[in-house]
Amino acid sequence: MDMLEVIRRGQGELLYGAEDGVLVRDIPSGAYMLSAADEDMGERLISLIPRGLKNGLYVAHQDFLKDSLCRRFGCSVINSCVQAVYTRKTPWEEAAAYDIRPLDLSWLESVYEQYHTVHDRAYLEERISAGMMYGVFLEGRLAGFAGIHAEGSMGMLEVAEEFRRRGIGEALEKHLINRMLERGWVPFCQVFTDNEASVRLQEKLKLRIGREKVYWIS
């Protein structure tokens, strides 16, 4: 779904496409996304990616692509994820009790201090500036936030510790799903395989969990 949405939203450059393999470059994030039927095709796709990229980002849809990408591009970080997709067309009814609104740059430092997965202030600034970050406000405070990544997936969900177990994460993801449906997008996300709580949330919100893993490599 991640590769399909990149192409469908008009933000992807198709570098190779056939039944046995696909290579797409997501223009906003610069990530190279690839899926191959076998190792030989995987090597062919990898050979099409320019060498010498600084801070390269790659998304592999088969296990056998991981080592080849790391060897060729000197990558050292591999994040293993499962992909979850909201296939329904029906938006969620959102609880009026939650004050959810787009964040502006006045909240950048708060988001940067609280979010523990993306350690890149410039990236978070770009997402906020693009209007793709939303916050829940309780008692006049930023209780949690979530957003839409540059390549189109839902993520960056974080709830302040003192506000957890109040359904805030669920409310934020419902809000993201509805905003994406309004744009005609298919809502999807990629969850670290060891994040059992997030996987349970996706199941609760009727997202379909893919059987295969997706690997983010950098």
Side-chain angles (χ1 to χ4, degrees), residues 78-96:
I78 301 176
N79 290 313
S80 176
C81 305
V82 293
Q83 190 154 236
V85 182
Y86 188 78
T87 57
R88 303 195 304 169
K89 304 296 184 183
T90 307
W92 284 99
E93 182 177 347
E94 299 188 50

Side-chain angles (χ1 to χ4, degrees), residues 117-132:
T117 303
V118 174
H119 302 286
D120 187 337
R121 183 184 278 104
Y123 179 73
L124 294 172
E125 180 177 1
E126 185 278 325
R127 290 289 82 201
I128 293 173
S129 297
M132 293 295 171

Side-chain angles (χ1 to χ4, degrees), residues 51-206:
R51 286 182 178 270
L53 294 174
K54 292 184 178 180
N55 302 315
L57 188 60
Y58 313 94
V59 185
H61 286 74
Q62 286 78 32
D63 183 78
F64 57 76
L65 295 170
K66 295 185 304 180
D67 291 340
S68 293
L69 285 165
C70 287
R71 282 195 304 270
R72 181 174 290 256
F73 299 107
C75 302
S76 59
V77 177
I78 301 176
N79 290 313
S80 176
C81 305
V82 293
Q83 190 154 236
V85 182
Y86 188 78
T87 57
R88 303 195 304 169
K89 304 296 184 183
T90 307
W92 284 99
E93 182 177 347
E94 299 188 50
Y98 296 102
D99 177 17
I100 303 178
R101 55 182 187 263
L103 296 178
D104 59 34
L105 289 175
S106 67
W107 295 102
L108 174 60
E109 292 306 317
S110 295
V111 171
Y112 180 72
E113 290 173 5
Q114 292 184 56
Y115 190 49
H116 304 298
T117 303
V118 174
H119 302 286
D120 187 337
R121 183 184 278 104
Y123 179 73
L124 294 172
E125 180 177 1
E126 185 278 325
R127 290 289 82 201
I128 293 173
S129 297
M132 293 295 171
M133 292 290 294
Y134 300 86
V136 168
F137 293 86
L138 291 176
E139 303 167 12
R141 299 172 59 192
L142 179 62
F145 52 84
I148 300 172
H149 281 291
E151 94 293 343
S153 65
M154 299 183 293
M156 297 174 283
L157 194 157
E158 190 81 30
V159 178
E161 188 171 354
E162 61 267 38
F163 292 108
R164 290 175 185 172
R165 290 175 291 279
R166 298 194 193 182
I168 291 174
E170 179 179 338
L172 279 165
E173 186 158 337
K174 285 181 177 179
H175 191 76
L176 291 182
I177 288 171
N178 289 352
R179 302 292 78 74
M180 293 177 81
L181 290 176
E182 287 173 354
R183 292 176 167 87
W185 297 348
V186 177
F188 73 97
C189 62
Q190 292 165 340
V191 180
F192 292 154
T193 52
D194 60 354
N195 192 340
E196 296 179 3
S198 184
V199 171
R200 289 196 299 270
L201 175 60
Q202 310 318 314
E203 293 173 338
K204 182 178 182 180
L205 294 179
K206 311 300 183 184

